[in-house]
Structure formats: structure tokens, C-alpha cells
Amino acid sequence: MKKILTDIPHYCPVQLPEGYELVKVDMKTISTYDGNQDVEFVLCSRALARKTQEIELPEYKLLHLFSVGYDDVDLNVFKQKGIPVCNAAGIYDNVLAEYVVYAMLLYAKRFHRSLKNRLFRPFRNYHYITEVAGKTVGIMGCGRIGTAVAKHLSGFGVEIIAYAKNTCEKEGFSKIYHREDIAKFFAKSDYIINTLPHDSSTIGLIDKALLDSCKSAMTFINIGRESIFNGDDFYQYLKSHKDATAILDMFELIPNPVTNKYRRLSNVLVMPRVASISQESDINLKELMRMNVEAILNKRELRNRVV
């Protein structure tokens, strides 16, 4: 029986090709398959993909990532071995865009104040609640996800601007700023949405100098990589600027609910990495991987091939 290895079985196709079985592995047990000629496919997280770089799978036909990002996977290793690598680009565009809308509305209705009121108090001062309409939304990154966010927000009566590395003009954005004007981008935005990937140009990009250019009541929503922050600067800014707010979903490691320092701040909402989760995205991911496994077996063109 040929094997398909995975570390998260419920993300994998329900219907497998005849003669194949799905085998759950983890960071430790993957090494037991070193040299195994029955393993032909690995459908996995980036972490497990990195581990497969360290072992030999003679019949390895495809590495399929559950994620869009692959920055910490050494693609050259797979390229040299002639192993195709596919990612999940396009699978999470809609669910991430919906999450951003949800997060913006949470802030506009002041989740960090209103949700603490267990009982309705008709004479309480609720005039801190705001509207999204009329605000400026700054989206960091205008690729597939950033563009999906802009499309979802197009009916809310907001101005949508972007920060990008190279793109100069794109439908859905009134203006696109670049590195030399990033402080102006921050100063103009009421909401800042990060969708940027992890690379040398984004690590520690958001530091004290940029944060000091923000509006006092800026709301930051992160669905990109945590590495974009200078961690100390970002934490100290939120700690000392109570009118600023952050809704954070993406961390390199799932935050410990007890020790995570951001949870101690009343103006920060830490979400348990749920921005990209939906029943629909799971179905679409399973279908994408099923199609690509069958494409390998039938010598057809792969979707989302990155190497």
C-alpha cells in the first residue's frame, strides 16, 4: 500500500486514490520513514515540510503545503531533487477578508469596553461606539489577500489605501504607498491591516518610529506574520497608548493564554489563530490537494506550483 504522509489529517482529502493510505506523522515520527519507498506524497504544514528536507524518500512525488507561505521551506532542496512543491494560495482569501471585516466591526463597537458589560444599562454612556464608514483603511500588501480585503470593504464607505513593495496601481485602492512614504501611510490610516509575508523587507518593519506617526486611535489588525513587528516597540506602544487598539490573530507560536503579555492589555484582543479557519476553506483545500495528487498520477499540470 502506497502512503501519503500528513501531520494534520483533517486537512487532507477524504477520497484518496486507490491503493493509497493516509498516515499521520509528527516531527519525531517522520524520521522513521527515511528511505521508505512506499511514501509518495507529503501533505503538511511548513514545520513538517522542513523535516522532510532532512530525510530521503526515494519515491517522493509531491510536497503540498497547507499554507500560502513557504518562506522557511528550502525550495532549492526540493528543486534539486525534482520534487514539485505546491501551496494553498487562493484558499484563504475569502475567509481572511471576512475576518478583517469582523475585526473592524468589533473595534468600531468597542469590544474592549462594551463586551465587559454583562447587563444592559440604558443610561450608561455608550457614545464611544463608532462607525466604520468615513474611515481610511490602510492595507499592508495588495496581493490576493489584500485585494480580497479591499473588495469586501468596498461597500462600507471607507477610503482604501495600500502599502506595497513594488505595485504602483491596482483596482480597489485609491493610493499605494511605498517604503519611502510608509510613515505617511501610517499617519493617514484609521485601520491598518497587515497581510504581508515574512521576508527580509518585512522583518521588524513596524517599529517605534512608524508607530509614533500613527493616529492616536489607530486600530491594527494582523493576519500576516508576527515578524513584521519590532516586538518590544509594538508592545510598549499599545501599553502606553490606550486609545490605540490591536486585534492579533497570527503568531509564530500559539500564544500561551497565561503568559502572553498582550493578553494583559485591555486594548488588545488576542485570537487563537482562527482567521483562516472555515468549513469552506477546509473543503477547498482538500479539493485542491486531491486534484494535485491526481494530477501527479495522471501527468497533468499542477495548480499552485511554486517549484
Side-chain angles (χ1 to χ4, degrees):
M1 182 74 74
K2 297 296 184 180
K3 292 178 172 55
I4 300 175
L5 303 185
T6 184
D7 52 346
I8 311 178
H10 65 264
Y11 281 170
C12 295
V14 176
Q15 293 181 336
L16 301 178
E18 186 176 351
Y20 286 82
E21 64 174 337
L22 194 66
V23 180
K24 185 181 186 305
V25 294
D26 56 32
M27 300 292 283
K28 293 182 179 179
T29 59
I30 184 68
S31 60
T32 65
Y33 288 89
D34 193 3
N36 192 308
Q37 297 189 14
D38 291 329
V39 176
E40 295 190 352
F41 299 92
V42 180
L43 317 177
C44 65
S45 65
R46 294 196 311 270
L48 190 69
R50 293 195 300 270
K51 293 298 289 186
T52 67
Q53 296 169 188
E54 303 171 6
I55 64 175
E56 289 297 326
L57 299 171
E59 299 300 318
Y60 206 165
K61 289 182 169 60
L62 173 69
L63 168 67
H64 206 305
L65 296 168
F66 299 142
S67 62
V68 177
Y70 48 86
D71 48 270
D72 47 2
V73 177
D74 190 348
L75 297 181
N76 286 325
V77 171
F78 297 95
K79 186 175 182 179
Q80 290 169 8
K81 295 180 179 180
I83 302 167
V85 178
C86 295
N87 72 348
I91 297 298
Y92 306 112
D93 297 353
N94 188 67
V95 65
L96 287 171
E98 287 189 2
Y99 176 88
V100 169
V101 174
Y102 159 74
M104 288 175 60
L105 292 172
L106 268 181
Y107 172 69
K109 308 315 171 189
R110 298 304 193 267
F111 72 89
H112 58 302
R113 297 186 186 182
S114 301
L115 296 186
K116 292 181 180 179
N117 302 330
R118 298 295 184 183
L119 299 175
F120 176 64
R121 300 172 183 175
F123 300 109
R124 189 182 182 96
N125 181 6
Y126 287 100
H127 293 287
Y128 47 72
I129 292 174
T130 64
E131 298 178 10
V132 171
K135 305 299 190 298
T136 298
V137 180
I139 301 175
M140 302 185 73
C142 51
R144 293 186 62 150
I145 294 173
T147 301
V149 171
K151 183 177 180 180
H152 276 64
L153 291 173
S154 62
F156 279 82
V158 296
E159 180 182 4
I160 302 172
I161 60 177
Y163 166 79
K165 189 175 181 180
N166 298 310
T167 306
C168 294
E169 187 175 336
K170 196 164 190 179
E171 185 178 357
F173 301 93
S174 63
K175 183 176 177 62
I176 297 179
Y177 295 79
H178 300 100
R179 187 66 181 88
E180 62 272 17
D181 295 319
I182 191 171
K184 294 179 181 178
F185 167 83
F186 270 63
K188 185 173 175 60
S189 301
D190 297 292
Y191 292 88
I192 297 174
I193 318 297
N194 175 45
T195 73
L196 291 173
H198 170 97
D199 62 33
S200 59
S201 68
T202 62
I203 297 173
L205 177 63
I206 299 176
D207 58 11
K208 184 178 186 301
L210 274 184
L211 291 167
D212 284 344
S213 67
C214 290
K215 294 183 178 182
S216 60
M218 174 272 296
T219 295
F220 197 97
I221 300 170
N222 187 36
I223 57 171
R225 300 292 288 278
E226 182 187 10
S227 58
I228 196 169
F229 305 120
N230 177 308
D232 290 338
D233 288 356
F234 189 54
Y235 177 78
Q236 291 301 326
Y237 179 84
L238 291 170
K239 185 177 181 180
S240 59
H241 294 75
K242 294 301 182 182
D243 287 335
T245 312
I247 301 175
L248 309 175
D249 186 77
M250 300 305 291
F251 290 85
E252 302 309 306
L253 297 174
I254 296 176
N256 186 308
V258 177
T259 61
N260 182 257
K261 61 184 180 181
Y262 287 104
R263 291 184 181 273
R264 303 170 193 162
L265 302 179
S266 61
N267 54 337
V268 178
L269 178 62
V270 177
M271 301 293 279
R273 293 180 71 174
V274 296
S276 62
I277 296 175
S278 73
Q279 295 176 12
E280 291 80 3
S281 64
D282 284 354
I283 291 170
N284 292 336
L285 179 59
K286 291 176 181 180
E287 178 62 12
L288 172 65
M289 291 191 294
R290 184 193 64 77
M291 291 174 61
N292 278 338
V293 167
E294 290 186 355
I296 288 287
L297 296 177
N298 294 292
K299 298 182 180 180
R300 295 198 301 262
E301 186 175 352
L302 292 165
R303 290 181 56 190
N304 289 9
R305 183 169 181 170
V306 296
V307 70

